[in-house]
Amino acid sequence: MSTLFLRTLREDPADAELPGHKLLVRAGYIRRVAPGIYTWLPLGMQVLAKVENIVREEMVRIGSQEVKFPALLPREPYDATNRWTEYGDNLFRLKDRKDADMLLGPTHEEMFCLTVKDMYSSYKDLPLALFQIQNKYRDEARPRAGILRGREFIMKDSYSFDVDSAGLQKAYDAHREAYIRIFDRLGFEYVIVKADSGAMGGSASEEFLAVSPHGEDTFVRDDSGYAANVEAVEVPQAPEMAVTAGPAHVEPTPDTPTIDTLVAALNKDHPRADGRDWTAADTLKNVIVMLVHPDGTREPLAVGLPGDREVDTKRLEAKVAPAEVEAFEEKDFAAYPMLAKGYIGPGALGESTSSHIRYLLDPSVAIGSAWVTGADEHGHHVIDLVHGRDFTADGTIQAAEIREGDASPTGHGTLKLARGIEMGHIFQLGTKYAEALGLKVLDEHGKLVTVTMGSYGVGVTRAVGAIAEDNLDDAGLIWPRNVAPADVHVVATGKDEEVFVKAEEIVRELESAGVEVLFDDRRKVSPGVKFKDSELIGVPTILVVGKGLADGVVELKDRRSGERRDIPLAEVVAEVTAEIAQPARTL
């Protein structure tokens, strides 16, 4: 450590938000260059290399072969798949000196597809699996959480190529098992959830989420083992009901533009015949949003849902991708005078109405159910408006918020909500990209068939951040041994030259036994600072060489448990190697 390029910090960096992010900076693993862009320092490189190697080993284990594409790419392949447009502002675009459009690769489906097309033409060449570990670039609107959501990051992306869906399923299953082994080895709690394929397309996808209160993704699970990202939760269609409500009738409801004011007015001026109070769940809320398509086209969309629920923007965006969702503003209302803001009802909505605004209902709105909703006239609502009798919609959409305690789609109890960090995502892409780029091979009958693909990603730099968030305490980081920058942190304390001589001798013996050592040999640093740094840096085993030498012992400390014990000098190598051989942390 006397020559290591390292400077630890005692104070949290001002720009860091999460505990693990703060400690990665304070312990000298990374340094910020710009929002979402980080320099990796020597200790960080050690951890990063170990994460990469774990990923690489498991990919090779299932027969995937490593390649590496450039990060700087031409526009044309991304035009062919329409992703030059679909990526919108997330894409880093530039021009070369000849004015040709280029981009910094956000992901490499196109490159893999074209390379296989260039080299293979027969079913005999397949199945094939290729992977790379490469820098990716996405111009995140809100980079945050350090290396968890950066604009430059390292990802392992791999792709399988097969002649049919049966081959794709086999490749998908192999990658899924490889991912389980990867995340088991990385040392943080994770869950596999059903995911929405979104703009990537394909028939099926799953996410591997690191369980963390700081995660940006919300997922659900029930007691049966079902787990899904909230975007992928499929609320069942409510069964059709017998109509019991009388004719719909419009009533004056002045100054009730919100659900709360409406419910209060209903209970005051229009009490229910059955004697119970009106609630927000009796109202039908109609929310208008503006969809912005990648080519800049703007399209309004109306979502109808029970008034006690909100539209979940992430769920909605997953269903309308690659379009982005923006608020429906005053200028938009001006362009649609038939919409009475605060009093919008189904009568003004739908592709067949004068507004031509597509109208989609939450599946909980059953045919035959009666609602209080806007009458399309300021200060008025309609009561007992029945779905299927008095109004219809253009379809359904899964966009309402999911709540703790909602009934599970599996029928097994209720849903529990938790948060996680997306660490891996696997897709059954099918033929989307192969069709766009003309990737075909001759089958066994001599007929051209489109290759079917799978896509599989792991966030490598993100994994380092997720491990840090799940392995820390008030004093610093606590690396799982598989990815720690060293096996043991040897700390020489005191001013006696004999301490340093003996410590160096122990270090040589450990290294000869194949142990990776971080040696704090600094002579002008106090023992207190050295101890603080050893806890901050987080190597799983700490060996203190100091005053115990007089008794022929050194102190061995377990960084995670805090347990300390003295061991005789003659047994140091045996004890340390035995410590290193202990089973990995059980989650």
Side-chain angles (χ1 to χ4, degrees), residues 281 290 300 520 536 538 585:
M290 186 64 77
D520 195 342
L536 179 63
R585 171 192 179 197

Side-chain angles (χ1 to χ4, degrees), residues 114 196 248 328 352 459 469 534 554:
L114 288 173
D196 190 279
F328 198 78
S352 62
E469 295 300 334
S534 69
V554 293

Side-chain angles (χ1 to χ4, degrees), residues 6 35 67 127 159 200 211 222 247 253 279 405 557 582:
L6 173 70
V67 297
Y159 302 86
M200 285 288 286
V211 179
D222 68 13
T253 53
T279 70
K557 177 183 176 182
Q582 290 294 316

Side-chain angles (χ1 to χ4, degrees), residues 194-196 220 226 228-237 315 319 363 396-399 402 407-410 415:
K194 179 184 176 184
D196 190 279
V220 300
Y226 164 81
N229 195 308
V230 289
E231 291 96 306
V233 175
E234 294 289 327
V235 176
Q237 177 65 54
R315 274 170 60 78
K319 299 300 181 290
T396 61
I397 189 168
Q398 302 273 349
I402 303 297
S408 172
T410 66
L415 294 176

Side-chain angles (χ1 to χ4, degrees), residues 188-222:
F188 53 79
E189 184 183 0
Y190 70 94
V191 62
I192 307 171
V193 302
K194 179 184 176 184
D196 190 279
S197 297
M200 285 288 286
S203 58
S205 73
E206 292 175 289
E207 286 180 353
F208 289 70
L209 300 179
V211 179
S212 169
H214 308 299
E216 288 191 316
D217 287 354
T218 302
F219 68 94
V220 300
R221 45 188 166 185
D222 68 13

Side-chain angles (χ1 to χ4, degrees), residues 533-579:
D533 280 348
S534 69
E535 293 192 318
L536 179 63
I537 290 169
V539 173
T541 301
I542 301 170
L543 188 71
V544 180
V545 182
K547 59 184 181 181
L549 283 181
D551 300 318
V553 297
V554 293
E555 181 184 85
L556 190 68
K557 177 183 176 182
D558 181 274
R559 174 66 185 89
R560 189 174 297 277
S561 69
E563 178 186 340
R564 306 165 186 262
R565 70 181 192 274
D566 288 337
I567 55 175
L569 284 171
E571 299 175 14
V572 168
V573 173
E575 288 285 340
V576 170
T577 52
E579 187 84 7

Side-chain angles (χ1 to χ4, degrees), residues 238-393:
E240 185 172 346
M241 302 169 57
V243 177
T244 59
H249 50 103
V250 175
E251 299 292 346
T253 53
D255 302 319
T256 57
T258 67
I259 297 296
D260 288 342
T261 55
L262 172 60
V263 170
L266 289 170
N267 285 317
K268 178 176 179 290
D269 301 324
H270 307 282
R272 292 176 59 94
D274 60 10
R276 75 169 178 85
D277 286 343
W278 293 102
T279 70
D282 299 313
T283 68
L284 182 66
K285 178 190 300 182
N286 297 298
V287 178
I288 316 289
V289 298
M290 186 64 77
L291 304 184
V292 183
H293 296 281
D295 62 1
T297 304
R298 300 172 68 83
E299 173 200 2
L301 173 69
V303 178
L305 69 164
D308 62 339
R309 297 274 166 160
E310 300 294 336
V311 171
D312 184 323
T313 303
K314 290 190 75 171
R315 274 170 60 78
L316 178 58
E317 286 178 338
K319 299 300 181 290
V320 301
E324 294 183 353
V325 177
E326 292 186 357
F328 198 78
E329 300 177 342
E330 290 296 335
K331 67 178 186 297
D332 300 313
F333 275 102
Y336 291 89
M338 70 290 294
L339 300 180
K341 185 178 180 182
Y343 301 88
I344 300 171
L349 303 172
E351 293 177 331
S352 62
T353 68
S354 60
S355 73
H356 302 296
I357 295 175
R358 187 159 49 114
Y359 183 41
L360 303 177
L361 282 175
D362 184 79
S364 66
V365 180
I367 293 177
S369 58
W371 301 88
V372 179
T373 189
D376 301 312
E377 180 183 352
H378 286 284
H380 291 77
H381 282 84
V382 58
I383 298 175
D384 286 340
L385 196 74
V386 175
H387 181 205
R389 183 189 74 182
D390 304 316
F391 75 98
T392 58

Side-chain angles (χ1 to χ4, degrees), residues 519-538:
F519 179 26
D520 195 342
D521 61 336
R522 296 175 293 177
R523 295 172 182 261
K524 296 182 180 180
V525 176
S526 70
V529 169
K530 290 185 175 186
F531 292 143
K532 284 184 179 297
D533 280 348
S534 69
E535 293 192 318
L536 179 63
I537 290 169

